[in-house]
Amino acid sequence: MAERLSARLLNEERDFQLHELFFSTTDSRGVICHGNEVFARVSGMTLEALMGSPHSIIRHPDMPRAVFRLFWDMLRSGKTIAAYVKNLAADGRYYWVLAVAMPVEDGYLSVRMKPSSDLLPVVQRLYNQMLAVERNIEVEPKKRVAAMEASTELLHNQLQELGFATYEEFMLHALATELSSRHSKLAADKSNLPHYNHRNNYFQESRAFDFLVPLLSSCRTLDGELKIAFDQLEKFKEMNIKLSKNSASVLRSAESIRSLAMNAKIAANMMGNRHSTLLVVADSLGAVSHNSQAVINELASRMQAVIAVLSQLMFDVAATKLQCEVSIQFLEELLGSEVHEMDSKLEESLKTLFQQIVSRVTSVFDHLKSTEGRMLELQTQLERLERNNRTLRFVQFAGKKESSGETNGFGVVFQEVKSHIDATQRDCDSLSDSVQASLAQIRSLRLLKGKLTDSLATLGNLDAALV
């Protein structure tokens, strides 16, 4: 370990392919219990040397302390975290990962992938700023806590400027973005596909771990279905953008109608009792448009709730997909190795990976059910808005009829009101189509549960396979 810590820092990146994933398990103190061969190769150490070492052995000095404090705060509160991390290899070179870490029984599990999206340069610049803040403050003795607090504040401020209210919101976006980027780039580069896509039968060369073959088959089945689920959930991103645009447009139309109603009321008042009916119409127009605004505000609130649930759902599916894929690579690694015995650490690693997959898949289907409920609430609000719009149309028609033949501009006002009502209807139709399409996708995804039952049962019963 002394040689490892004295390695000279090199501004060179360690070889790490996009299709490769690696994992490690640690105890509650962060001491490494196990990992796979990719972890060992990329870190430049043997698995034997890594096991029993603190995970901080691969910490790069370019990493802000505040990121690790955030990392451990979330883990110790029982949450899963995704974070960009610059790690240090044994030869002094570095490698970037997006780490997805989670609490498990008696410790933690971390799965890492190579970042490939446009988010990485943004994060690198941010980390450099945070590191500079920490180092400036740490010049004074006993200022480490103050340095981390200042660095954390900078992190949150910068993320808010990027449009993320919290770090959690950012990490949900980051994991989905990175997995999407990885899928696209691997699909475009056929030579760099994960091994399990083109080495289906290689494990037949070694039968040392025959009992792992059904587990590998179950993982492959799960991985394929999770890929379908992730691809379908990605379509929700477009739906979210569409929902936001449509709701903003509807709100603008309601505000315009209220403004026109106020103008019509003022004009009717100025004309006296002669046009009392127009005054009643203007009042009705204002009241209904005010009610529409309240409905729209509630609609927007429910849409934000739907978007939040969908973001968490995408995160859970992405995290499960990574766990499933790294399990496949690990099983292939074992089936192709010269190891002939299943030691306790190896057995514990497999159990941890499989238990997390089963638990997360179960959670995903629970979230799908709650997401469907949120979508139905959204549909109810849309129906309320459409009813209001029909009332507005009736009032507008009455106003147009009453103002017929007038030369004071009432006709123009009610014609403009009609254009806003028509626009609201188009937006409502578009929103309704999006919600219906989303409900269909969610129900389709929920049907996957039946297809995965046998695979989940196989992974959840590792003890039987080990007998």
Side-chain angles (χ1 to χ4, degrees), residues 93-307:
R93 288 186 287 176
Y94 69 89
Y95 56 99
W96 279 93
V97 299
L98 181 69
V100 181
M102 64 215 70
V104 295
E105 188 176 354
D106 301 325
Y108 306 98
L109 167 67
S110 176
V111 179
R112 275 91 87 195
M113 65 188 294
K114 185 181 180 71
S116 62
S117 81
D118 294 338
L119 281 176
L120 180 60
V122 176
V123 171
Q124 288 171 329
R125 288 192 294 272
L126 175 54
Y127 281 11
N128 287 337
Q129 294 171 17
M130 293 171 66
L131 192 64
V133 166
E134 291 180 3
R135 287 176 175 171
N136 286 337
I137 295 176
E138 286 179 6
V139 170
E140 300 180 41
K142 299 182 179 179
K143 288 287 186 178
R144 178 174 290 186
V145 173
M148 284 193 290
E149 288 175 351
S151 181
T152 300
E153 183 179 1
L154 173 64
L155 171 65
H156 291 311
N157 289 341
Q158 290 295 310
L159 289 179
Q160 285 176 2
E161 287 188 16
L162 292 171
F164 303 100
T166 62
Y167 179 81
E168 287 87 344
E169 193 175 302
F170 167 73
M171 77 173 190
L172 299 183
H173 172 77
L175 179 57
T177 300
E178 288 295 348
L179 194 60
S180 178
S181 172
R182 183 172 182 271
H183 286 167
S184 298
K185 290 178 179 177
L186 286 177
D189 183 6
K190 301 298 183 183
S191 65
N192 204 19
L193 287 172
H195 287 181
Y196 61 87
N197 280 346
H198 54 80
R199 289 175 62 193
N200 289 330
N201 298 315
Y202 87 101
F203 57 81
Q204 292 179 358
E205 300 167 8
S206 170
R207 309 305 290 187
F209 287 147
D210 275 359
F211 67 91
L212 295 180
V213 175
L215 297 171
L216 178 58
S217 177
S218 294
C219 282
R220 284 175 172 165
T221 299
L222 281 170
D223 184 70
E225 297 296 346
L226 288 169
K227 175 66 166 60
I228 292 170
F230 183 81
D231 289 345
Q232 285 188 300
L233 286 170
E234 273 206 300
K235 296 174 184 176
F236 285 121
K237 286 184 180 178
E238 300 173 11
M239 193 256 327
N240 289 348
I241 295 170
K242 191 174 182 181
L243 283 174
S244 297
K245 286 183 177 178
N246 285 145
S247 62
S249 176
V250 168
L251 189 56
R252 285 194 299 271
S253 292
E255 289 170 347
S256 297
I257 291 171
R258 280 195 73 192
S259 178
L260 289 167
M262 288 177 64
N263 291 339
K265 184 177 180 179
I266 292 170
N269 272 321
M270 292 176 65
M271 297 174 69
N273 293 332
R274 187 166 57 92
H275 286 288
S276 57
T277 305
L278 279 175
L279 182 59
V280 171
V281 170
D283 279 337
S284 298
L285 197 61
V288 178
S289 61
H290 177 75
N291 190 41
S292 291
Q293 278 190 306
V295 174
I296 293 165
N297 288 333
E298 179 64 22
L299 184 69
S301 174
R302 291 185 185 276
M303 272 194 268
Q304 288 305 310
V306 166
I307 290 169

Side-chain angles (χ1 to χ4, degrees), residues 32 88 129 131 218 262 298 351 376 396 424 443 463:
I32 298 171
L88 180 63
Q129 294 171 17
L131 192 64
S218 294
M262 288 177 64
E298 179 64 22
K351 281 184 178 180
L376 290 171
Q396 179 269 336
T424 298
R443 286 161 182 164
D463 288 335

Side-chain angles (χ1 to χ4, degrees), residues 144 167 232 257 295 333 348 372 394 416 429 435 452 460:
R144 178 174 290 186
Y167 179 81
Q232 285 188 300
I257 291 171
V295 174
E333 178 185 304
E348 197 58 42
E372 183 177 4
F394 175 80
E416 193 171 344
D429 290 342
V435 170
L452 302 180

Side-chain angles (χ1 to χ4, degrees), residues 9 27 38 92 98 137 172 201 217 231 323 331 352 388 407 412:
L9 291 179
D27 63 17
V38 178
L98 181 69
I137 295 176
L172 299 183
N201 298 315
S217 177
D231 289 345
Q323 289 170 6
L331 287 168
T352 298
N388 266 31
T407 58
V412 174

